[in-house]
Amino acid sequence: MMELIHLAVPVLLKGLWVTAALTFVSVLIGSNLGLGLALMRLSSNRLLSGFAKYYSNVFRGTPLLVQIFLFYYGLGQLPLIKDNAALWWVISDGARCAVLALALNTAAYTSEILRGGLMSVPVGLVEAAQACGMSRTLRFRRIEFPLAIRQALPAYGNELILVVKGTSLASTITVLEITGYAKRLMSQTFAIFEIFAIAGVLYLVINLLLIAIIRSIERFLMRHETSSRRVAAAPSSAAS
Amino acid sequence: MEFGLWQVWEAGWVPAILRGASITILVGLVSMAAGLVIGIVCGLIKWARIFPLSLLVDAYTSLVRGVPELLIIYLLFFSSVEFVTRVVTAFGYAGVAESGYAFVIAVIAIGAISGAYSTEVVRGALGAIPNGHIEAARALGLPGGRIFRRIIAPQMLRIAVPGINNVWQTTIKDTALVSVVGLQELMRISFIGANSTRHPFIFYLIAAVVYLLITLASQAGFDGIERLLRLRTRK
């Protein structure tokens, strides 16, 4: 048993960094794309909102595995991509391709979450900002986005965990991250349950860490509301 | 060589893809049914906080929802492979059980995953039932079984429909993952097609379209169910 831990833990920790890197880069790209898509979806331009709607339906309606395979194996066939050096650079490597698929996939889910948040911003507040003469971008930066992100944060935390779990699919296109190493170790050592337990603990640690980060951001954003909320919540809970 | 939809049709891939799609739907439906049974039992345990069992359910849902689906499938597949081959060869059926075996593993894995998500949905729906309804039923002297059948279950099912819809959509997409253990469902067929013809783009594109059609159709179905249930409630 100790031997196995000595053998498996360093290997899986190596995978942990790959998983963390895949998650970080995909979330970085995906959150920005998602914000853009959410804004497109809410714009009055029919073309923009239509594109964002179809984009999110297509990416949320197909399995991530299909998207990863389509990008990794499929796109390389198209002459358009073969001849473009930059696109070929992205497609030719498993890790870069996985990041591309994960980022585009999480962008679709993020756009839905942010759209919900933006739609929950009371119209009166936006009108008040307009009446104060705020420009469109200032209004978005100071009023709409901060309120929307407070609303959307808990759901976005769940989405982050889905991205962490999604990085495991990168192992199907030759990227060795936690799941990839775990599979290899399982077939080498036959200590299937032990390897699963160690890999599972690593994933649970990442997820708990992410939840803790999201919670602390939430507490930071809501810092001025905690006391008033508690007062507002008390009578209603007493009534029920 | 030009290779398009016509060549896919001519080479006889369309029936194979349709067969794969029907296996995908079958795995999805059976797993979802198993998941719902798990979800209702575990959701009730979690909601009623039945002490030692609720700890087990908590461990199950947080483990399954926090660990990648692929890792769970590997665990079930690799750990059972040896066991099953030993049993099967002992009875002299080596090779016969191959195809059915992958299906069983797929259903167990996907069912366990969808069960964990269903548990949370059921628990949330149970929590949304006003406490007064159950107290009123108890005050009228209804026995526990009838309170569940007449008061809790109908309300819970109605509230849970949107959540069940989400779980179903995730479940049908998760079935693509069992292709890694060799079950000949839609994703596996596309993989075989892509490799044998060396035209992966068209095969994975077809797979994506078929999955999209399945999810769009089930979305429409659930919209219909929600509309049907809404008619029966008072405004």
Side-chain angles (χ1 to χ4, degrees):
Chain A
M1 188 64 206
M2 281 316 282
E3 257 174 80
L4 185 73
I5 290 173
H6 275 298
L7 174 76
V9 169
V11 175
L12 290 175
L13 280 179
K14 217 164 41 175
L16 176 70
W17 293 116
V18 180
T19 295
L22 286 173
T23 309
F24 182 76
V25 182
S26 317
V27 166
L28 200 69
I29 301 171
S31 57
N32 286 302
L33 276 179
L35 178 60
L37 283 164
L39 291 176
M40 282 166 74
R41 181 80 185 267
L42 292 171
S43 88
S44 49
N45 185 327
R46 293 265 289 281
L47 200 73
L48 287 180
S49 68
F51 172 79
K53 191 177 165 202
Y54 280 108
Y55 177 91
S56 117
N57 279 343
V58 166
F59 275 88
R60 291 182 314 135
T62 52
L64 180 58
L65 188 66
V66 176
Q67 293 161 22
I68 286 182
F69 275 25
L70 191 60
F71 288 151
Y72 187 65
Y73 297 112
L75 287 186
Q77 260 191 291
L78 303 180
L80 180 78
I81 283 163
K82 247 189 221 163
D83 299 339
N84 185 321
L87 287 175
W88 182 250
W89 180 79
V90 174
I91 295 299
S92 58
D93 176 68
R96 288 193 284 266
C97 201
V99 165
L100 174 74
L102 277 167
L104 292 178
N105 187 67
T106 185
Y109 287 92
T110 305
S111 80
E112 293 292 325
I113 293 167
L114 286 177
R115 183 177 73 107
L118 285 168
M119 276 164 54
S120 76
V121 175
V123 186
L125 291 181
V126 182
E127 279 173 359
Q130 264 171 326
C132 287
M134 281 191 185
S135 76
R136 216 168 169 185
T137 43
L138 188 66
R139 210 161 68 218
F140 181 75
R141 218 178 61 217
R142 291 271 180 82
I143 310 292
E144 290 176 57
F145 185 70
L147 287 169
I149 198 74
R150 283 173 175 78
Q151 196 72 35
L153 214 50
Y156 192 62
N158 286 340
E159 172 55 23
L160 287 182
I161 289 172
L162 289 182
V163 176
V164 173
K165 296 200 316 182
T167 58
S168 69
L169 298 187
S171 67
T172 58
I173 52 167
T174 71
V175 181
L176 283 171
E177 37 63 74
I178 298 178
T179 304
Y181 279 122
K183 188 193 175 193
R184 183 185 273 188
L185 285 168
M186 279 176 181
S187 50
Q188 277 170 357
T189 62
F190 298 109
I192 288 139
F193 192 77
E194 291 85 343
I195 304 284
F196 172 82
I198 301 170
V201 165
L202 290 182
Y203 277 111
L204 292 182
V205 166
I206 300 181
N207 290 341
L208 288 179
L209 212 67
L210 277 177
I211 292 171
I213 293 171
I214 290 285
R215 286 266 164 80
S216 65
I217 295 174
E218 221 177 314
R219 218 172 303 129
F220 173 73
L221 288 174
M222 297 291 194
R223 62 196 179 281
H224 51 281
E225 272 190 19
T226 42
S227 53
S228 61
R229 266 211 165 176
R230 217 165 287 148
V231 172
S236 67
S237 64
S240 73
Chain B
M1 188 190 76
E2 195 57 34
F3 193 89
L5 283 175
W6 175 243
Q7 278 75 13
V8 172
W9 168 262
E10 246 187 355
W13 282 105
V14 172
I17 288 169
L18 287 179
R19 202 165 53 234
S22 57
I23 290 180
T24 287
I25 293 172
L26 192 66
V27 172
L29 284 176
V30 178
S31 313
M32 189 68 201
L36 274 180
V37 172
I38 297 173
I40 288 174
V41 172
C42 292
L44 277 169
I45 290 171
K46 223 174 171 176
W47 173 68
R49 299 207 186 85
I50 302 170
F51 169 62
L53 290 177
S54 64
L55 283 181
L56 273 179
V57 172
D58 277 342
Y60 159 64
T61 54
S62 34
L63 182 75
V64 171
R65 295 189 313 145
V67 170
E69 293 82 0
L70 201 56
L71 202 57
I72 295 169
I73 291 169
Y74 285 146
L75 169 76
L76 288 173
F77 186 70
F78 286 133
S79 63
S80 61
V81 141
E82 200 192 350
F83 173 74
V84 169
T85 39
R86 207 182 304 147
V87 170
V88 165
T89 40
F91 283 95
Y93 286 114
V96 175
E98 290 280 295
S99 54
Y101 165 65
F103 185 84
V104 170
I105 289 295
V107 166
I108 292 174
I110 304 295
I113 293 161
S114 113
Y117 286 96
S118 301
T119 301
E120 299 296 326
V121 169
V122 169
R123 190 193 52 131
L126 286 170
I129 297 172
N131 232 338
H133 289 198
I134 297 163
E135 278 166 18
R138 225 174 262 149
L140 286 171
L142 292 182
R146 205 181 300 164
I147 293 180
F148 179 75
R149 222 172 50 235
R150 289 276 181 83
I151 313 291
I152 297 177
Q155 298 198 62
M156 177 197 84
L157 288 177
R158 185 171 303 152
I159 301 167
V161 166
I164 297 293
N165 180 14
N166 280 340
V167 176
W168 164 250
Q169 306 259 2
T170 321
T171 302
I172 202 80
K173 286 187 280 172
D174 281 347
T175 59
L177 300 179
V178 297
S179 63
V180 297
V181 300
L183 181 68
Q184 304 245 338
E185 41 71 80
L186 178 54
M187 191 63 202
R188 186 76 196 162
I189 298 281
S190 315
F191 186 78
I192 294 167
N195 279 0
S196 66
T197 63
R198 296 186 179 278
H199 284 87
F201 184 73
I202 187 118
F203 276 97
Y204 293 131
L205 198 64
I206 291 171
V209 170
V210 175
Y211 278 112
L212 198 58
L213 288 177
I214 295 173
T215 50
L216 287 180
S218 40
Q219 181 65 48
F222 270 99
D223 285 347
I225 293 175
E226 272 178 55
R227 217 173 304 123
L228 208 74
L229 290 175
R230 218 178 11 242
L231 282 178
R232 296 210 269 155
T233 55
R234 270 185 305 168
K235 276 279 149 60

mmCIF file with all atom_site columns, all heavy atoms in Angstrom, chain B residues 192-211:
data_model
loop_
_atom_site.group_PDB
_atom_site.id
_atom_site.type_symbol
_atom_site.label_atom_id
_atom_site.label_alt_id
_atom_site.label_comp_id
_atom_site.label_asym_id
_atom_site.label_entity_id
_atom_site.label_seq_id
_atom_site.pdbx_PDB_ins_code
_atom_site.Cartn_x
_atom_site.Cartn_y
_atom_site.Cartn_z
_atom_site.occupancy
_atom_site.B_iso_or_equiv
_atom_site.pdbx_formal_charge
_atom_site.auth_seq_id
_atom_site.auth_comp_id
_atom_site.auth_asym_id
_atom_site.auth_atom_id
_atom_site.pdbx_PDB_model_num
ATOM 1   N N   . ILE B 1 192 ? -15.559 4.832  -34.935 1.00 0.00 ? 192 ILE B N   1
ATOM 2   C CA  . ILE B 1 192 ? -15.181 3.751  -35.853 1.00 0.00 ? 192 ILE B CA  1
ATOM 3   C C   . ILE B 1 192 ? -15.244 4.249  -37.295 1.00 0.00 ? 192 ILE B C   1
ATOM 4   O O   . ILE B 1 192 ? -14.324 4.035  -38.098 1.00 0.00 ? 192 ILE B O   1
ATOM 5   C CB  . ILE B 1 192 ? -16.095 2.524  -35.653 1.00 0.00 ? 192 ILE B CB  1
ATOM 6   C CG1 . ILE B 1 192 ? -15.871 1.923  -34.262 1.00 0.00 ? 192 ILE B CG1 1
ATOM 7   C CG2 . ILE B 1 192 ? -15.850 1.472  -36.723 1.00 0.00 ? 192 ILE B CG2 1
ATOM 8   C CD1 . ILE B 1 192 ? -16.923 0.916  -33.861 1.00 0.00 ? 192 ILE B CD1 1
ATOM 9   N N   . GLY B 1 193 ? -16.329 4.966  -37.616 1.00 0.00 ? 193 GLY B N   1
ATOM 10  C CA  . GLY B 1 193 ? -16.480 5.504  -38.963 1.00 0.00 ? 193 GLY B CA  1
ATOM 11  C C   . GLY B 1 193 ? -15.353 6.454  -39.318 1.00 0.00 ? 193 GLY B C   1
ATOM 12  O O   . GLY B 1 193 ? -14.768 6.376  -40.406 1.00 0.00 ? 193 GLY B O   1
ATOM 13  N N   . ALA B 1 194 ? -15.019 7.331  -38.372 1.00 0.00 ? 194 ALA B N   1
ATOM 14  C CA  . ALA B 1 194 ? -13.967 8.317  -38.608 1.00 0.00 ? 194 ALA B CA  1
ATOM 15  C C   . ALA B 1 194 ? -12.643 7.635  -38.859 1.00 0.00 ? 194 ALA B C   1
ATOM 16  O O   . ALA B 1 194 ? -11.889 8.022  -39.751 1.00 0.00 ? 194 ALA B O   1
ATOM 17  C CB  . ALA B 1 194 ? -13.863 9.266  -37.412 1.00 0.00 ? 194 ALA B CB  1
ATOM 18  N N   . ASN B 1 195 ? -12.353 6.579  -38.088 1.00 0.00 ? 195 ASN B N   1
ATOM 19  C CA  . ASN B 1 195 ? -11.067 5.908  -38.237 1.00 0.00 ? 195 ASN B CA  1
ATOM 20  C C   . ASN B 1 195 ? -10.985 5.074  -39.510 1.00 0.00 ? 195 ASN B C   1
ATOM 21  O O   . ASN B 1 195 ? -9.962  5.053  -40.171 1.00 0.00 ? 195 ASN B O   1
ATOM 22  C CB  . ASN B 1 195 ? -10.805 5.010  -37.022 1.00 0.00 ? 195 ASN B CB  1
ATOM 23  C CG  . ASN B 1 195 ? -10.280 5.827  -35.864 1.00 0.00 ? 195 ASN B CG  1
ATOM 24  O OD1 . ASN B 1 195 ? -10.112 7.041  -35.990 1.00 0.00 ? 195 ASN B OD1 1
ATOM 25  N ND2 . ASN B 1 195 ? -10.036 5.182  -34.759 1.00 0.00 ? 195 ASN B ND2 1
ATOM 26  N N   . SER B 1 196 ? -12.097 4.371  -39.841 1.00 0.00 ? 196 SER B N   1
ATOM 27  C CA  . SER B 1 196 ? -11.992 3.458  -40.974 1.00 0.00 ? 196 SER B CA  1
ATOM 28  C C   . SER B 1 196 ? -12.045 4.203  -42.300 1.00 0.00 ? 196 SER B C   1
ATOM 29  O O   . SER B 1 196 ? -11.459 3.742  -43.272 1.00 0.00 ? 196 SER B O   1
ATOM 30  C CB  . SER B 1 196 ? -13.071 2.383  -40.897 1.00 0.00 ? 196 SER B CB  1
ATOM 31  O OG  . SER B 1 196 ? -14.329 2.971  -41.052 1.00 0.00 ? 196 SER B OG  1
ATOM 32  N N   . THR B 1 197 ? -12.740 5.349  -42.365 1.00 0.00 ? 197 THR B N   1
ATOM 33  C CA  . THR B 1 197 ? -12.774 6.081  -43.630 1.00 0.00 ? 197 THR B CA  1
ATOM 34  C C   . THR B 1 197 ? -11.722 7.183  -43.683 1.00 0.00 ? 197 THR B C   1
ATOM 35  O O   . THR B 1 197 ? -11.505 7.782  -44.729 1.00 0.00 ? 197 THR B O   1
ATOM 36  C CB  . THR B 1 197 ? -14.140 6.746  -43.847 1.00 0.00 ? 197 THR B CB  1
ATOM 37  O OG1 . THR B 1 197 ? -14.338 7.699  -42.806 1.00 0.00 ? 197 THR B OG1 1
ATOM 38  C CG2 . THR B 1 197 ? -15.273 5.742  -43.818 1.00 0.00 ? 197 THR B CG2 1
ATOM 39  N N   . ARG B 1 198 ? -11.127 7.482  -42.547 1.00 0.00 ? 198 ARG B N   1
ATOM 40  C CA  . ARG B 1 198 ? -10.172 8.604  -42.418 1.00 0.00 ? 198 ARG B CA  1
ATOM 41  C C   . ARG B 1 198 ? -10.813 9.938  -42.769 1.00 0.00 ? 198 ARG B C   1
ATOM 42  O O   . ARG B 1 198 ? -10.180 10.821 -43.323 1.00 0.00 ? 198 ARG B O   1
ATOM 43  C CB  . ARG B 1 198 ? -8.947  8.369  -43.280 1.00 0.00 ? 198 ARG B CB  1
ATOM 44  C CG  . ARG B 1 198 ? -8.190  7.149  -42.809 1.00 0.00 ? 198 ARG B CG  1
ATOM 45  C CD  . ARG B 1 198 ? -6.893  6.953  -43.533 1.00 0.00 ? 198 ARG B CD  1
ATOM 46  N NE  . ARG B 1 198 ? -6.225  5.783  -42.993 1.00 0.00 ? 198 ARG B NE  1
ATOM 47  C CZ  . ARG B 1 198 ? -5.498  5.816  -41.886 1.00 0.00 ? 198 ARG B CZ  1
ATOM 48  N NH1 . ARG B 1 198 ? -5.343  6.927  -41.219 1.00 0.00 ? 198 ARG B NH1 1
ATOM 49  N NH2 . ARG B 1 198 ? -4.921  4.708  -41.445 1.00 0.00 ? 198 ARG B NH2 1
ATOM 50  N N   . HIS B 1 199 ? -12.091 10.066 -42.461 1.00 0.00 ? 199 HIS B N   1
ATOM 51  C CA  . HIS B 1 199 ? -12.754 11.359 -42.637 1.00 0.00 ? 199 HIS B CA  1
ATOM 52  C C   . HIS B 1 199 ? -13.462 11.741 -41.341 1.00 0.00 ? 199 HIS B C   1
ATOM 53  O O   . HIS B 1 199 ? -14.691 11.663 -41.253 1.00 0.00 ? 199 HIS B O   1
ATOM 54  C CB  . HIS B 1 199 ? -13.748 11.307 -43.796 1.00 0.00 ? 199 HIS B CB  1
ATOM 55  C CG  . HIS B 1 199 ? -13.070 11.351 -45.111 1.00 0.00 ? 199 HIS B CG  1
ATOM 56  N ND1 . HIS B 1 199 ? -12.614 10.217 -45.752 1.00 0.00 ? 199 HIS B ND1 1
ATOM 57  C CD2 . HIS B 1 199 ? -12.723 12.384 -45.901 1.00 0.00 ? 199 HIS B CD2 1
ATOM 58  C CE1 . HIS B 1 199 ? -12.031 10.558 -46.871 1.00 0.00 ? 199 HIS B CE1 1
ATOM 59  N NE2 . HIS B 1 199 ? -12.087 11.868 -46.999 1.00 0.00 ? 199 HIS B NE2 1
ATOM 60  N N   . PRO B 1 200 ? -12.698 12.097 -40.301 1.00 0.00 ? 200 PRO B N   1
ATOM 61  C CA  . PRO B 1 200 ? -13.312 12.332 -38.985 1.00 0.00 ? 200 PRO B CA  1
ATOM 62  C C   . PRO B 1 200 ? -14.288 13.510 -38.976 1.00 0.00 ? 200 PRO B C   1
ATOM 63  O O   . PRO B 1 200 ? -15.297 13.449 -38.280 1.00 0.00 ? 200 PRO B O   1
ATOM 64  C CB  . PRO B 1 200 ? -12.111 12.612 -38.075 1.00 0.00 ? 200 PRO B CB  1
ATOM 65  C CG  . PRO B 1 200 ? -10.970 12.896 -38.968 1.00 0.00 ? 200 PRO B CG  1
ATOM 66  C CD  . PRO B 1 200 ? -11.233 12.217 -40.257 1.00 0.00 ? 200 PRO B CD  1
ATOM 67  N N   . PHE B 1 201 ? -13.998 14.537 -39.787 1.00 0.00 ? 201 PHE B N   1
ATOM 68  C CA  . PHE B 1 201 ? -14.814 15.758 -39.677 1.00 0.00 ? 201 PHE B CA  1
ATOM 69  C C   . PHE B 1 201 ? -16.292 15.463 -39.889 1.00 0.00 ? 201 PHE B C   1
ATOM 70  O O   . PHE B 1 201 ? -17.131 15.793 -39.061 1.00 0.00 ? 201 PHE B O   1
ATOM 71  C CB  . PHE B 1 201 ? -14.320 16.808 -40.674 1.00 0.00 ? 201 PHE B CB  1
ATOM 72  C CG  . PHE B 1 201 ? -15.042 18.121 -40.555 1.00 0.00 ? 201 PHE B CG  1
ATOM 73  C CD1 . PHE B 1 201 ? -14.794 18.962 -39.481 1.00 0.00 ? 201 PHE B CD1 1
ATOM 74  C CD2 . PHE B 1 201 ? -15.990 18.491 -41.493 1.00 0.00 ? 201 PHE B CD2 1
ATOM 75  C CE1 . PHE B 1 201 ? -15.462 20.154 -39.349 1.00 0.00 ? 201 PHE B CE1 1
ATOM 76  C CE2 . PHE B 1 201 ? -16.667 19.689 -41.357 1.00 0.00 ? 201 PHE B CE2 1
ATOM 77  C CZ  . PHE B 1 201 ? -16.404 20.520 -40.292 1.00 0.00 ? 201 PHE B CZ  1
ATOM 78  N N   . ILE B 1 202 ? -16.596 14.762 -40.992 1.00 0.00 ? 202 ILE B N   1
ATOM 79  C CA  . ILE B 1 202 ? -18.003 14.542 -41.323 1.00 0.00 ? 202 ILE B CA  1
ATOM 80  C C   . ILE B 1 202 ? -18.676 13.632 -40.291 1.00 0.00 ? 202 ILE B C   1
ATOM 81  O O   . ILE B 1 202 ? -19.812 13.865 -39.898 1.00 0.00 ? 202 ILE B O   1
ATOM 82  C CB  . ILE B 1 202 ? -18.156 13.994 -42.755 1.00 0.00 ? 202 ILE B CB  1
ATOM 83  C CG1 . ILE B 1 202 ? -19.631 13.926 -43.155 1.00 0.00 ? 202 ILE B CG1 1
ATOM 84  C CG2 . ILE B 1 202 ? -17.565 12.619 -42.919 1.00 0.00 ? 202 ILE B CG2 1
ATOM 85  C CD1 . ILE B 1 202 ? -19.956 14.782 -44.305 1.00 0.00 ? 202 ILE B CD1 1
ATOM 86  N N   . PHE B 1 203 ? -17.948 12.636 -39.785 1.00 0.00 ? 203 PHE B N   1
ATOM 87  C CA  . PHE B 1 203 ? -18.569 11.709 -38.835 1.00 0.00 ? 203 PHE B CA  1
ATOM 88  C C   . PHE B 1 203 ? -18.859 12.380 -37.494 1.00 0.00 ? 203 PHE B C   1
ATOM 89  O O   . PHE B 1 203 ? -19.934 12.200 -36.913 1.00 0.00 ? 203 PHE B O   1
ATOM 90  C CB  . PHE B 1 203 ? -17.687 10.470 -38.645 1.00 0.00 ? 203 PHE B CB  1
ATOM 91  C CG  . PHE B 1 203 ? -17.921 9.444  -39.704 1.00 0.00 ? 203 PHE B CG  1
ATOM 92  C CD1 . PHE B 1 203 ? -17.102 9.371  -40.811 1.00 0.00 ? 203 PHE B CD1 1
ATOM 93  C CD2 . PHE B 1 203 ? -18.992 8.567  -39.603 1.00 0.00 ? 203 PHE B CD2 1
ATOM 94  C CE1 . PHE B 1 203 ? -17.335 8.438  -41.806 1.00 0.00 ? 203 PHE B CE1 1
ATOM 95  C CE2 . PHE B 1 203 ? -19.231 7.631  -40.583 1.00 0.00 ? 203 PHE B CE2 1
ATOM 96  C CZ  . PHE B 1 203 ? -18.396 7.566  -41.694 1.00 0.00 ? 203 PHE B CZ  1
ATOM 97  N N   . TYR B 1 204 ? -17.911 13.167 -36.998 1.00 0.00 ? 204 TYR B N   1
ATOM 98  C CA  . TYR B 1 204 ? -18.174 13.836 -35.719 1.00 0.00 ? 204 TYR B CA  1
ATOM 99  C C   . TYR B 1 204 ? -19.216 14.933 -35.881 1.00 0.00 ? 204 TYR B C   1
ATOM 100 O O   . TYR B 1 204 ? -19.976 15.223 -34.957 1.00 0.00 ? 204 TYR B O   1
ATOM 101 C CB  . TYR B 1 204 ? -16.874 14.369 -35.115 1.00 0.00 ? 204 TYR B CB  1
ATOM 102 C CG  . TYR B 1 204 ? -15.948 13.256 -34.698 1.00 0.00 ? 204 TYR B CG  1
ATOM 103 C CD1 . TYR B 1 204 ? -14.613 13.245 -35.052 1.00 0.00 ? 204 TYR B CD1 1
ATOM 104 C CD2 . TYR B 1 204 ? -16.449 12.181 -33.974 1.00 0.00 ? 204 TYR B CD2 1
ATOM 105 C CE1 . TYR B 1 204 ? -13.783 12.201 -34.691 1.00 0.00 ? 204 TYR B CE1 1
ATOM 106 C CE2 . TYR B 1 204 ? -15.638 11.125 -33.608 1.00 0.00 ? 204 TYR B CE2 1
ATOM 107 C CZ  . TYR B 1 204 ? -14.306 11.144 -33.969 1.00 0.00 ? 204 TYR B CZ  1
ATOM 108 O OH  . TYR B 1 204 ? -13.504 10.094 -33.610 1.00 0.00 ? 204 TYR B OH  1
ATOM 109 N N   . LEU B 1 205 ? -19.246 15.530 -37.072 1.00 0.00 ? 205 LEU B N   1
ATOM 110 C CA  . LEU B 1 205 ? -20.285 16.543 -37.323 1.00 0.00 ? 205 LEU B CA  1
ATOM 111 C C   . LEU B 1 205 ? -21.667 15.893 -37.311 1.00 0.00 ? 205 LEU B C   1
ATOM 112 O O   . LEU B 1 205 ? -22.612 16.420 -36.695 1.00 0.00 ? 205 LEU B O   1
ATOM 113 C CB  . LEU B 1 205 ? -20.023 17.214 -38.670 1.00 0.00 ? 205 LEU B CB  1
ATOM 114 C CG  . LEU B 1 205 ? -20.733 18.552 -38.880 1.00 0.00 ? 205 LEU B CG  1
ATOM 115 C CD1 . LEU B 1 205 ? -20.223 19.568 -37.869 1.00 0.00 ? 205 LEU B CD1 1
ATOM 116 C CD2 . LEU B 1 205 ? -20.492 19.065 -40.288 1.00 0.00 ? 205 LEU B CD2 1
ATOM 117 N N   . ILE B 1 206 ? -21.776 14.719 -37.943 1.00 0.00 ? 206 ILE B N   1
ATOM 118 C CA  . ILE B 1 206 ? -23.053 13.995 -37.929 1.00 0.00 ? 206 ILE B CA  1
ATOM 119 C C   . ILE B 1 206 ? -23.432 13.648 -36.492 1.00 0.00 ? 206 ILE B C   1
ATOM 120 O O   . ILE B 1 206 ? -24.576 13.846 -36.059 1.00 0.00 ? 206 ILE B O   1
ATOM 121 C CB  . ILE B 1 206 ? -22.970 12.709 -38.785 1.00 0.00 ? 206 ILE B CB  1
ATOM 122 C CG1 . ILE B 1 206 ? -22.845 13.074 -40.274 1.00 0.00 ? 206 ILE B CG1 1
ATOM 123 C CG2 . ILE B 1 206 ? -24.187 11.834 -38.569 1.00 0.00 ? 206 ILE B CG2 1
ATOM 124 C CD1 . ILE B 1 206 ? -22.542 11.897 -41.172 1.00 0.00 ? 206 ILE B CD1 1
ATOM 125 N N   . ALA B 1 207 ? -22.433 13.156 -35.709 1.00 0.00 ? 207 ALA B N   1
ATOM 126 C CA  . ALA B 1 207 ? -22.715 12.805 -34.309 1.00 0.00 ? 207 ALA B CA  1
ATOM 127 C C   . ALA B 1 207 ? -23.235 14.027 -33.558 1.00 0.00 ? 207 ALA B C   1
ATOM 128 O O   . ALA B 1 207 ? -24.231 13.944 -32.833 1.00 0.00 ? 207 ALA B O   1
ATOM 129 C CB  . ALA B 1 207 ? -21.450 12.272 -33.643 1.00 0.00 ? 207 ALA B CB  1
ATOM 130 N N   . ALA B 1 208 ? -22.572 15.182 -33.767 1.00 0.00 ? 208 ALA B N   1
ATOM 131 C CA  . ALA B 1 208 ? -23.000 16.397 -33.072 1.00 0.00 ? 208 ALA B CA  1
ATOM 132 C C   . ALA B 1 208 ? -24.436 16.751 -33.434 1.00 0.00 ? 208 ALA B C   1
ATOM 133 O O   . ALA B 1 208 ? -25.248 17.090 -32.563 1.00 0.00 ? 208 ALA B O   1
ATOM 134 C CB  . ALA B 1 208 ? -22.056 17.556 -33.412 1.00 0.00 ? 208 ALA B CB  1
ATOM 135 N N   . VAL B 1 209 ? -24.764 16.626 -34.740 1.00 0.00 ? 209 VAL B N   1
ATOM 136 C CA  . VAL B 1 209 ? -26.116 16.972 -35.184 1.00 0.00 ? 209 VAL B CA  1
ATOM 137 C C   . VAL B 1 209 ? -27.144 16.026 -34.556 1.00 0.00 ? 209 VAL B C   1
ATOM 138 O O   . VAL B 1 209 ? -28.203 16.462 -34.097 1.00 0.00 ? 209 VAL B O   1
ATOM 139 C CB  . VAL B 1 209 ? -26.206 16.955 -36.730 1.00 0.00 ? 209 VAL B CB  1
ATOM 140 C CG1 . VAL B 1 209 ? -27.651 17.061 -37.190 1.00 0.00 ? 209 VAL B CG1 1
ATOM 141 C CG2 . VAL B 1 209 ? -25.385 18.086 -37.314 1.00 0.00 ? 209 VAL B CG2 1
ATOM 142 N N   . VAL B 1 210 ? -26.811 14.718 -34.507 1.00 0.00 ? 210 VAL B N   1
ATOM 143 C CA  . VAL B 1 210 ? -27.770 13.764 -33.940 1.00 0.00 ? 210 VAL B CA  1
ATOM 144 C C   . VAL B 1 210 ? -27.990 14.051 -32.448 1.00 0.00 ? 210 VAL B C   1
ATOM 145 O O   . VAL B 1 210 ? -29.126 14.061 -31.969 1.00 0.00 ? 210 VAL B O   1
ATOM 146 C CB  . VAL B 1 210 ? -27.299 12.308 -34.165 1.00 0.00 ? 210 VAL B CB  1
ATOM 147 C CG1 . VAL B 1 210 ? -28.230 11.332 -33.477 1.00 0.00 ? 210 VAL B CG1 1
ATOM 148 C CG2 . VAL B 1 210 ? -27.235 12.003 -35.648 1.00 0.00 ? 210 VAL B CG2 1
ATOM 149 N N   . TYR B 1 211 ? -26.889 14.307 -31.711 1.00 0.00 ? 211 TYR B N   1
ATOM 150 C CA  . TYR B 1 211 ? -27.050 14.659 -30.292 1.00 0.00 ? 211 TYR B CA  1
ATOM 151 C C   . TYR B 1 211 ? -27.909 15.908 -30.144 1.00 0.00 ? 211 TYR B C   1
ATOM 152 O O   . TYR B 1 211 ? -28.760 16.009 -29.262 1.00 0.00 ? 211 TYR B O   1
ATOM 153 C CB  . TYR B 1 211 ? -25.697 14.891 -29.626 1.00 0.00 ? 211 TYR B CB  1
ATOM 154 C CG  . TYR B 1 211 ? -25.015 13.629 -29.183 1.00 0.00 ? 211 TYR B CG  1
ATOM 155 C CD1 . TYR B 1 211 ? -23.858 13.189 -29.800 1.00 0.00 ? 211 TYR B CD1 1
ATOM 156 C CD2 . TYR B 1 211 ? -25.525 12.872 -28.134 1.00 0.00 ? 211 TYR B CD2 1
ATOM 157 C CE1 . TYR B 1 211 ? -23.229 12.029 -29.397 1.00 0.00 ? 211 TYR B CE1 1
ATOM 158 C CE2 . TYR B 1 211 ? -24.909 11.715 -27.719 1.00 0.00 ? 211 TYR B CE2 1
ATOM 159 C CZ  . TYR B 1 211 ? -23.760 11.297 -28.352 1.00 0.00 ? 211 TYR B CZ  1
ATOM 160 O OH  . TYR B 1 211 ? -23.153 10.154 -27.951 1.00 0.00 ? 211 TYR B OH  1
#
